[in-house]
Amino acid sequence: MRSVGKIGFIGGGNMAEALVKGLLKGTFPARDIVVSELSDARRQVLRERYGVGVTFDNRDLVETCSVVVLAVKPQNLDEALEDCAGQFNGDKLLISVLAGLVLGAAVAWTSQPGKRFFSFGRDSIAEAKRVVWPTRKETMQTTAVVIAFAVTMA
């Protein structure tokens, strides 16, 4: 059987933990599993509970692992790939378990046009947050006026 080398998980949440647990039950050695997690407490739990390697440095994880599993929430993808996006090359297998996000987005993140696209997205979200949106009361009043006008015109 061919060895896959080390498997690394970017993100140490519930999904990553379930996958780690499954790998260990399937006799995959804990010494060949590394989890990158920002939370000190969560890293400690994973290290103590499963005996896997832990780090907070995604760049280090990508350098040492031949298989990298993205197990972060979609809203944290930018931050997770920020330091290590340029390190993915032909000898790395990238697997995504991101709910509702196509792996293509992660691949796009590693290209120059993709980086510009994601930068535009971040700027658009920041701009939308600056807009003063109407309250529910104002929305209902406006809707009532429009309905009254439509009834009057009919």
Side-chain angles (χ1 to χ4, degrees):
M1 184 169 112
R2 187 174 158 227
S3 172
V4 295
K6 286 191 174 223
I7 296 180
F9 291 87
I10 296 180
N14 293 333
M15 186 65 88
E17 183 176 7
L19 292 169
V20 166
K21 195 184 305 185
L23 285 169
L24 294 173
K25 282 185 181 178
T27 68
F28 198 86
R31 69 178 179 276
D32 289 339
I33 300 174
V34 182
V35 180
S36 176
E37 170 61 44
L38 294 177
S39 165
D40 291 332
R42 186 70 179 150
R43 281 196 310 270
Q44 184 176 349
V45 166
L46 293 168
R47 182 184 316 113
E48 291 173 359
R49 191 176 290 168
Y50 302 105
V52 298
V54 294
T55 183
F56 63 89
D57 186 1
N58 293 341
R59 183 181 208 98
D60 181 48
L61 180 132
V62 172
E63 282 179 14
T64 59
C65 296
S66 57
V67 178
V68 177
V69 180
L70 289 175
V72 295
K73 293 178 181 165
Q75 64 267 27
N76 298 336
L77 179 63
D78 287 354
E79 184 182 349
L81 293 178
E82 191 172 344
D83 295 334
C84 62
Q87 293 182 287
F88 291 103
N89 52 35
D91 67 338
K92 304 277 184 205
L93 175 61
L94 178 62
I95 300 171
S96 173
V97 295
L98 299 173
L101 191 64
V102 180
L103 180 60
V107 173
W109 174 255
T110 63
S111 69
Q112 198 57 34
K115 288 180 183 179
R116 286 194 305 268
F117 174 77
F118 284 109
S119 175
F120 172 77
R122 277 193 306 271
D123 294 344
S124 298
I125 290 169
E127 189 64 32
K129 287 181 179 177
R130 284 188 279 235
V131 173
V132 179
W133 298 101
T135 64
R136 179 174 172 82
K137 180 180 177 184
E138 292 168 333
T139 304
M140 295 302 287
Q141 289 172 343
T142 304
T143 303
V145 169
V146 169
I147 291 172
F149 178 75
V151 169
T152 303
M153 295 304 289

